Amino acid sequence: MIISRPMQGKIRTARNYVQVFLVLLFFITPWIRWDGFQVIRLDIPDRKFFLFGHIFIPQEGYFLHLFLISAGLCLFFFTTLIGRVWCGWACPQTIYSDIFDWIGRRIQDSKYGKQDANRGLVILTHIVWILVSFAASFAWISYFSDPYQMISYFKNPNLDFPTWFLFLGFFTFAMYADIAFIREQFCKYGCPYARFQTVMMDNHSVNITYDYSRGEPRRKGKTKIGDCTACNMCLVVCPTGIDIRDGANPWCIACGKCSDACTKQMAKENKRSLIGYWSENQISEKGSPIRWIRPRTIIYALFLILTISSIGVLLSNRVPLYLSVLPDRNIQPMLVQNGIVRNFYEVQMQNLTSKDRTLKFEIENSDLQGERRILVGGTEEATVELKGNSEERYRLFIELKIAEQDVQKRSHDIKLKVIDIQDFEYSKSETVPFLLPVSISGWKIQNDERIVHGR
C-alpha cells in the first residue's frame, strides 16, 4: 500500500469540488422519489428497473444494450480526447482513497502512514474507515433496495435477515479491505482500463504529461542544465508510485498531484510547471494547438450520437405497457350454438406506470367477415382494471359469428388492440391467430378437394 504525500494546488482544489459533488450525488440519489418511485433503482427480485419515473422490464433489454454501448463509446471518446480523466477525477477507487487519506490525516496528523504512529489513533482510524465503508455500502445497496425499508429494519431488527443485509456485510468488508489496504494498487494491477487506455490515446490526447523539452537534462547537484530541479516531488506525491518523467505509463491515473507539486516547485524558480494537462504533440512541437477533431474522435462521436439518438427515439415512442397474448394450448377452438366459434387466449399485461388504468380490448384489424365479440374472464365486458406498477393475467375469449367467406381458410389473423379509455395514446397492439374448428363442414370440404387435386 502506498500512502502518498498530500499536495494542495489548483488541480487538487478542482478535484475536491468534483468529488464532493459526486459523493453527495451518490448518497442522496437513492432517497429521491420520482412519481412515487425511487429515481434510480434496480429491483432484481421483481425484475424491474426504475429510472426517473420510468419502469423497465427484462423484455426491454435492448435499452440496457444501447446504454452499455453508449457508455463504452463515451469511454472511448473522452479517453481519446482527455485521457484517463475518469480515473483521476471520478473513479470510486480514487475518490474513496482520497476520503480515507483525509480521515487518516485528520486523526493522526503528520504521523499518518508512518511506522511510529500512535497505535490507538491507528485503531480509531480503521474504525472510522469501517463506518465509512458501511455508509458507502448502504448507499450502494440502496440502488437495489428501498433505503426507507432498510432503515425500518434497523429500527426493528429481527433474526430473519433480508438478502440485502447479507450483501451489506459483504460490501462493507470488501470496500474496507480494498480502500484501506489495496488502494491504487488495484489501478496498477487489476483495472482493465489501465491496460487498453493506451490503444485509445494518441499523440493529440490531452493527459498528464511531462515537458521533457524544457526539463531535460535534469539538474545534477548544483549544475543547472534543464528546468527540472530533480526535487522528485512528482514521484513523492504520486499515489501509484510512478515517475511521470519517464514518459507515458499505464499506471498513471491522471490525478494531477504531480502537476500541483511541480507547479509549487517551479514557482520558486519563477517558471511555469513542467507537468500539466497537455498532449504529446504540444510538447514535441511547441506552440502547436490541440487537435480535438481528428478521425478517431469523429468516428467515436458519430457512433455515440447515433446510439444516443436511437435511445431517444425508442423512449419517445415507448408505450409503458407490456402485452403478451398467446392462444390457450389447453383449450382448442370450439363451435358453440348458433354457428359461433370461440377461441381462447392467455393475456399477460404489465402496467409500467404509477397510474391506475382502465384498459379496453378492441379488434383493430382482421380479415374475418363475421360479427366478432371480445370477452374477458368469462364476463360480457372487454375492459379490465390494471393498477399502477402491477402485472395481471387474464383469459380472453374472441367469438365469431361465422360468415360464408370465413370458412375459405382455417387460420385468420386478428390485430388485437389494448387502449386506455381515458388516454388513447396509451395503447398497444398484437397480432394473434384465430382458428376455425376442424369440424366445420367448409373446412372439411376444402381439405377433401386438396387431397383429390394432390392425387
Side-chain angles (χ1 to χ4, degrees):
M1 179 181 68
I2 298 177
I3 298 179
S4 59
R5 183 181 299 183
M7 179 56 60
Q8 299 301 318
K10 291 183 178 180
I11 296 178
R12 175 69 264 182
T13 301
R15 287 177 61 219
N16 287 341
Y17 286 122
V18 172
Q19 292 178 356
V20 167
F21 170 77
L22 292 176
V23 169
L24 291 177
L25 184 67
F26 173 70
F27 276 89
I28 294 174
T29 298
W31 301 90
I32 302 175
R33 291 295 181 267
W34 186 303
D35 203 13
F37 306 123
Q38 281 183 243
V39 65
I40 300 177
R41 179 184 175 187
L42 178 59
D43 192 338
I44 296 177
D46 287 344
R47 295 182 297 177
K48 295 177 182 177
F49 178 55
F50 300 88
L51 181 65
F52 299 106
H54 298 280
I55 305 175
F56 298 90
I57 56 177
Q59 289 82 353
E60 298 176 302
Y62 49 87
F63 281 109
L64 175 62
H65 297 155
L66 290 172
F67 171 77
L68 293 177
I69 291 173
S70 62
L73 290 172
C74 280
L75 181 70
F76 299 159
F77 177 69
F78 287 107
T79 300
T80 301
L81 289 178
I82 50 179
R84 291 182 66 177
V85 65
W86 161 263
C87 298
W89 292 68
C91 178
Q93 186 83 11
T94 301
I95 292 176
Y96 283 103
S97 294
D98 288 344
I99 292 175
F100 275 36
D101 281 345
W102 182 85
I103 292 172
R105 292 190 175 94
R106 296 287 81 74
I107 296 175
Q108 302 179 42
D109 199 27
S110 60
K111 294 295 184 179
Y112 172 64
K114 297 181 179 180
Q115 295 292 334
D116 59 344
N118 182 280
R119 185 60 56 184
L121 294 180
V122 172
I123 294 175
L124 177 61
T125 300
H126 282 267
I127 292 174
V128 177
W129 283 353
I130 293 174
L131 294 176
V132 172
S133 300
F134 177 85
S137 299
F138 184 94
W140 169 244
I141 295 175
S142 297
Y143 287 88
F144 301 87
S145 183
D146 190 339
Y148 292 98
Q149 294 180 4
M150 295 166 66
I151 290 293
S152 298
Y153 176 81
F154 283 111
K155 291 181 179 179
N156 300 288
N158 55 69
L159 296 179
D160 186 16
F161 297 116
T163 303
W164 61 260
F165 186 86
L166 303 177
F167 278 97
L168 179 59
F170 169 77
F171 282 117
T172 299
F173 169 77
M175 179 176 175
Y176 166 70
D178 177 27
I179 307 300
F181 301 104
I182 300 176
R183 298 188 174 226
E184 283 84 359
Q185 301 307 303
F186 174 81
C187 306
K188 294 171 64 174
Y189 303 111
C191 181
Y193 183 33
R195 295 295 175 265
F196 63 80
Q197 61 147 340
T198 52
V199 178
M200 294 179 288
M201 296 171 57
D202 58 23
N203 290 337
H204 299 284
S205 301
V206 176
N207 199 32
I208 285 292
T209 308
Y210 170 63
D211 189 350
Y212 57 84
S213 64
R214 287 178 47 217
E216 300 297 326
R218 304 171 197 172
R219 178 179 297 180
K220 295 181 180 180
K222 295 183 178 181
T223 303
K224 185 175 180 181
I225 307 175
D227 285 349
C228 180
T229 61
C231 65
N232 292 331
M233 283 299 298
C234 55
L235 177 60
V236 172
V237 301
C238 180
T240 57
I242 67 170
D243 191 340
I244 192 65
R245 296 169 296 182
D246 292 339
N249 193 313
W251 291 353
C252 175
I253 61 174
C255 63
K257 291 182 69 175
C258 55
S259 179
D260 284 335
C262 190
T263 299
K264 185 175 182 180
Q265 291 299 117
M266 284 292 101
K268 300 176 182 178
E269 305 281 333
N270 294 320
K271 293 182 179 179
R272 188 166 62 96
S273 175
L274 294 170
I275 304 174
Y277 284 100
W278 305 312
S279 68
E280 289 285 347
N281 191 63
Q282 286 182 294
I283 302 301
S284 59
E285 300 179 15
K286 291 297 183 180
S288 61
I290 300 175
R291 286 182 54 194
W292 300 109
I293 301 176
R294 48 193 194 273
R296 66 172 64 193
T297 59
I298 294 174
I299 293 173
Y300 290 148
L302 289 177
F303 277 108
L304 182 59
I305 293 172
L306 178 62
T307 305
I308 294 177
S309 300
S310 300
I311 296 175
V313 171
L314 289 172
L315 284 176
S316 62
N317 295 324
R318 175 179 180 262
V319 177
L321 171 68
Y322 173 70
L323 173 66
S324 174
V325 184
L326 298 174
D328 193 329
R329 293 178 292 181
N330 299 319
I331 305 178
Q332 296 299 314
M334 64 174 60
L335 179 64
V336 296
Q337 72 277 6
N338 301 323
I340 296 177
V341 174
R342 178 179 292 173
N343 275 216
F344 301 84
Y345 302 88
E346 293 180 347
V347 179
Q348 179 185 0
M349 289 196 299
Q350 197 167 354
N351 184 357
L352 303 178
T353 67
S354 60
K355 181 181 178 182
D356 296 344
R357 304 279 181 174
T358 301
L359 303 174
K360 182 180 180 181
F361 290 91
E362 297 177 352
I363 295 178
E364 186 176 10
N365 189 22
S366 174
D367 60 351
L368 292 168
Q369 302 299 317
E371 181 182 348
R372 295 148 297 181
R373 187 171 66 150
I374 301 177
L375 307 174
V376 179
T379 67
E380 297 296 322
E381 300 291 335
T383 59
V384 295
E385 299 290 336
L386 189 60
K387 294 186 177 298
N389 189 27
S390 67
E391 178 182 357
E392 297 290 344
R393 295 176 181 269
Y394 306 96
R395 172 157 288 178
L396 182 73
F397 313 117
I398 297 181
E399 291 185 346
L400 168 70
K401 180 70 174 179
I402 301 176
E404 183 177 353
Q405 299 88 337
D406 295 334
V407 298
Q408 299 301 317
K409 59 180 182 178
R410 188 189 178 205
S411 179
H412 300 262
D413 287 334
I414 291 180
K415 191 173 184 181
L416 192 65
K417 183 178 182 180
V418 179
I419 187 170
D420 189 334
I421 61 176
Q422 297 179 343
D423 182 5
F424 294 155
E425 293 184 359
Y426 190 84
S427 66
K428 219 163 195 181
S429 302
E430 187 164 334
T431 301
V432 297
F434 187 91
L435 303 178
L436 299 180
V438 182
S439 59
I440 295 179
S441 58
W443 169 248
K444 295 179 69 175
I445 293 172
Q446 187 181 30
N447 275 288
D448 292 340
E449 292 175 352
R450 288 179 179 175
I451 293 174
V452 172
H453 292 307
R455 289 178 179 175

